[in-house]
């Protein structure tokens, strides 16, 4: 047997005489075998551990004897080998031919089960090698996997094992090409999120571009060209080539301290060459940038530049550079000079001499049209049309207006004209509501304003009948506003058109939360404000200002001595100084009392008192609620409502108050509306063809008072 190492635990056990000493050393030997050998290889116990734990040692003698007995000739009483693989499986090809006797040849898919003693393999790993059979498997492919359990899938490609092929085979080329194509669908950033080492102090990857899959899979040629241009713009703005040189110098400082700087030396020349080329490029593009600034001045001035204006801008830039100002600062100051020019700040028009009116130029007409419909400068197509001189032709002007109203920029007409005309401009900034009475208002006021803007924009873009302003059966809602209105079936934050809203007390400007809330107090409704709004804003009636000494009504409708707001107003209106005006406006406000101070429908006020919405107008018509008021406006007062809309639209388009001489044009607008189903453009076209829109007064003419 093996020689027991001198001085080891087993040698000391062997030489011990007392039973207690032997027991002690036996326990130490057990700890050695379980816990592992000492770190020092020359230690006697380390040598003892190697002897006992080796496959040839005494501990595995029984396993070796059983394996040796199972390799004899098979007989009636022989049992299969308990460990490893049956040697009879080696050296055979599945088709019957022979292979190397130490090799195991299988036809995939196949599973080979290897049983090994647990004590033998603890802390070890099983390593094997596999190749495809040169003759019969050259054009095949296989995946090899070693595990401790039966694999679930044998016929499908696994993602956790490599694919084995023969070098130079067609199968290898085909599979490699397939993998390459698969990877092209997934950007590297999806597989490796941290491409740039953001946890490092210095990096040479300042901007990492990873949009090749985006361009290839999703963008067309025009979009691809645009994203390429944006990357060039980013390089120009960021000055990446010069920034990379600075980053490289910092990197070399770090490398000198705790690394080998020679690893990065090969980057020095290409980075310096790139920075030098970029600086040269910056100098080369300076004239182009100045020319672009001059071209932009023509766009900002809304007309071609006069020769002296071009010379002035270029001369200013040259003078600034002569003072040793860098290009960027000189360009910025030249731009600032352009933006404070009267030609940019004002829509200047050249009036003819004398008292007679004269036509405005094609460029001036383009500005008039663009600021009328878009509240902004003309777009490229309108400028090109103006440049040809054809815009002064009425039909061309009308055609351009139709095109422009179909554009998304028509939203500005809804905001600047529509919201101002309804007295709800900047409603999203309204902060006068009592948070104690109406805590939800601050979160909803933006949605309320958006509803109004979308409603008006849609009407203008569709060229819908303007009667929808008062009689629509649709609106635009998201979930939050729909819940405020009590309109079911609207979920999600996205906006959508919702039809059939009259049944919920909505439809038209009378049912908008903006108009109802704006014409109310901080903590109660105001029939007076709402009635006055209907009278002045919708009907165009002028009312005298109330006497200064008229007492104010209570602000909180829960503290009104048991009276409803309507009863307070009726009591207040008994005063002879107030009764005349209140007889005109109060019925309109009473009809809208079915809505609280933030536009919610209600049957009772905040003090739980019932609401009364029936009223009699000054001309003796019985109305009840919003529906009754809407019907009254569109039947008994339709002419006045339409006239007021035309007056507001004309004044907005001309940028001045409506005058007595505009009366015939207002008549024409009303006739055009009646003849064309009251469609919005039927009111716009007479304005565009009118002398008021196409001409300018002479310098010496006398201006009349506005009506």
């Amino acid at each position: 047997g093996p020689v027991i190492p001198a001085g080891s635990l087993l040698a000391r056990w062997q030489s011990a005489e007392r039973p207690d000493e032997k027991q002690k050393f036996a326990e130490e030997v057990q700890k050695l075998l379980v816990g592992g050998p000492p770190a020092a290889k020359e230690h006697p116990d380390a040598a003892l551990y190697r002897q006992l734990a080796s496959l040839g040692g005494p501990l595995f003698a029984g396993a070796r004897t059983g394996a040796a007995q199972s390799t004899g000739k098979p007989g009636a009483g022989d049992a299969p080998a308990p460990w490893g693989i049956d040697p009879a499986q080696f050296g055979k090809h599945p088709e019957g031919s022979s292979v190397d006797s130490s090799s195991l040849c299988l036809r995939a898919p196949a599973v080979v089960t290897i049983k090994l003693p647990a004590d033998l393999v603890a802390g070890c790993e099983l390593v094997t090698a596999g190749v495809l059979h040169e003759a019969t498997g050259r054009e095949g492919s296989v995946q090899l996997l070693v595990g401790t359990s039966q694999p679930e899938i044998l016929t499908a490609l696994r993602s956790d094992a490599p694919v084995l092929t023969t070098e130079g085979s067609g199968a290898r080329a085909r599979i490699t090409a397939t993998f390459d194509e698969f990877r092209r669908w997934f950007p590297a950033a999806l597989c490796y999120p941290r491409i740039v080492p953001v946890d490092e102090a210095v990096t040479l990857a300042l901007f990492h571009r990873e949009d090749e899959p985006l361009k290839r899979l999703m963008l067309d040629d025009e979009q691809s060209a645009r994203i390429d241009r944006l990357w060039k713009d980013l390089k120009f703005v960021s000055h990446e080539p010069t920034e990379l040189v600075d980053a490289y110098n910092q990197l070399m400082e770090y490398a000198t301290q705790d690394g080998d700087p020679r690893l990065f030396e090969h980057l020095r020349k290409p980075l310096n060459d790139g920075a030098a080329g970029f600086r040269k490029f910056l100098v080369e593009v300076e004239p182009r940038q100045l020319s672009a600034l001059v071209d932009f001045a023509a766009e900002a001035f809304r007309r071609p530049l006069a020769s002296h204006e071009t010379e002035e801008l270029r001369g200013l830039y040259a003078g600034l550079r002569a003072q040793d100002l860098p290009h960027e600062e000189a360009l910025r100051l030249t731009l600032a000079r352009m933006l404070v020019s009267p030609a940019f700040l004002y829509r200047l028009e050249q009036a003819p001499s004398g008292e007679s009116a004269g036509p405005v130029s094609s460029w001036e007409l383009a500005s008039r049209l663009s600021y009328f419909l878009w509240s902004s400068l003309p777009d490229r197509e309108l400028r090109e049309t103006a440049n040809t001189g054809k815009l002064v032709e009425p039909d061309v002007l009308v055609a351009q207006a139709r095109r422009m109203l179909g554009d998304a920029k028509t939203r500005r007409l809804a905001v600047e004209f529509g919201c101002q005309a309804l007295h709800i401009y900047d409603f999203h900034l309204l902060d006068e509501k009592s948070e104690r009475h109406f805590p939800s208002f601050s979160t909803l006021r933006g949605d309320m304003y958006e509803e109004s803007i979308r409603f008006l924009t849609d009407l203008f873009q569709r060229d819908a009948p303007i009667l929808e302003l008062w009689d629509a059966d649709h609106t635009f809602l998201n979930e939050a506003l729909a819940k405020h209105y009590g309109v079911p079936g609207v979920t999600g934050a996205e906006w959508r058109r919702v039809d059939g809203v009259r049944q919920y007390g909505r439809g038209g400007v009378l049912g908008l939360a903006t108009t109802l809330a704006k014409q109310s107090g901080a903590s109660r409704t105001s029939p007076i404000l709402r009635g006055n709004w209907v009278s002045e804003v919708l009907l165009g009636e002028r009312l005298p200002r109330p006497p200064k000494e008229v007492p104010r009504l209570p602000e909180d409708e829960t503290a009104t001595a048991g009276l409803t707001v309507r009863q307070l107003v009726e009591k207040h209106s008994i005063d002879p100084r107030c009764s005349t005006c209140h007889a005109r406006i109060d019925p309109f406000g009473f009809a809208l009392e079915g809505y609280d101070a933030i536009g919610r429908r209600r049957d009772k006020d905040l003090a739980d008192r019932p609401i009364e919405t029936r009223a009699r107008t000054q001309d003796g018509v019985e109305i009840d609620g919003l529906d009754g008021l809407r019907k009254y406006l569109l039947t008994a007062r339709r002419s006045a409502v339409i006239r007021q809309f035309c007056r507001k639209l004309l004044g907005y388009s001309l940028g001045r108050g409506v005058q007595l001489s505009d009366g015939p044009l207002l008549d024409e607008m009303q006739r055009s509306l009646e003849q064309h189903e009251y469609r919005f453009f039927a009111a716009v076209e007479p304005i565009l063809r009118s002398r008021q829109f196409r001409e300018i007064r002479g310098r010496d003419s006398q201006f009349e008072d506005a009506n």
Side-chain angles (χ1 to χ4, degrees), residues 291-306 309-310 313 335 338-339 343-347 363 366-367 370-371 374 376-384 386 409 412:
S291 296
L293 178 62
V294 174
D295 293 341
F296 175 71
E299 185 175 343
F301 292 175
R302 300 169 294 277
R303 56 169 174 76
L305 296 185
E309 292 174 319
T310 301
L313 290 174
L335 175 63
M338 183 192 73
L339 295 179
F344 173 74
L345 297 175
Y346 303 99
R347 289 165 50 193
W363 287 99
S367 288
S370 184
Y371 280 93
W374 286 350
S376 183
L377 49 79
D379 66 351
R380 175 177 296 180
E381 181 171 340
L382 189 57
R383 292 197 306 271
E384 291 175 352
K409 291 192 282 288
R412 299 171 185 169

Side-chain angles (χ1 to χ4, degrees), residues 287-288 290-292 294-295 308-320 334:
R288 300 210 305 266
L290 179 59
S291 296
V294 174
D295 293 341
H308 71 275
E309 292 174 319
T310 301
E311 294 171 0
E312 179 184 349
L313 290 174
R314 290 186 175 275
L316 174 61
Y317 170 82
L320 293 171
T334 305

Side-chain angles (χ1 to χ4, degrees), residues 151-174:
E152 296 180 358
I153 301 176
L154 294 176
T155 57
L157 194 67
R158 299 178 62 101
S159 61
D160 57 351
V163 179
L164 182 63
T165 58
T166 302
E167 187 71 33
S169 65
R172 184 183 186 90
R174 183 184 70 255

Side-chain angles (χ1 to χ4, degrees), residues 426-443:
D426 277 349
F427 180 86
H428 62 297
L429 302 178
L430 182 66
D431 58 357
E432 300 171 356
K433 298 299 178 183
S434 168
E435 292 188 8
R436 179 169 64 89
H437 292 86
F438 308 108
S440 63
F441 176 74
S442 60
T443 59

Side-chain angles (χ1 to χ4, degrees), residues 679-699:
R679 296 197 173 275
F680 173 66
F681 199 76
V684 173
E685 184 169 353
I687 296 176
L688 302 181
R689 296 181 181 275
S690 68
R691 292 185 60 193
Q692 289 93 321
F693 191 82
R694 302 167 58 79
E695 296 183 359
I696 185 172
R697 294 177 181 271
R699 298 175 187 173

Side-chain angles (χ1 to χ4, degrees), residues 464-511:
I466 64 169
L467 298 181
E468 289 187 6
L469 285 170
W470 307 276
D471 196 32
D473 191 22
H474 69 273
T475 190
F476 291 81
L477 301 174
N478 61 10
E479 182 176 359
L481 193 57
K483 185 177 297 183
H484 178 75
Y485 284 165
V487 178
V490 179
T491 58
E494 64 276 8
W495 288 90
R496 75 222 65 182
R497 172 174 167 148
V498 180
D499 295 303
V501 296
R502 282 191 203 162
Q503 59 183 313
Y504 305 108
R506 303 298 159 183
V509 298
L510 293 173

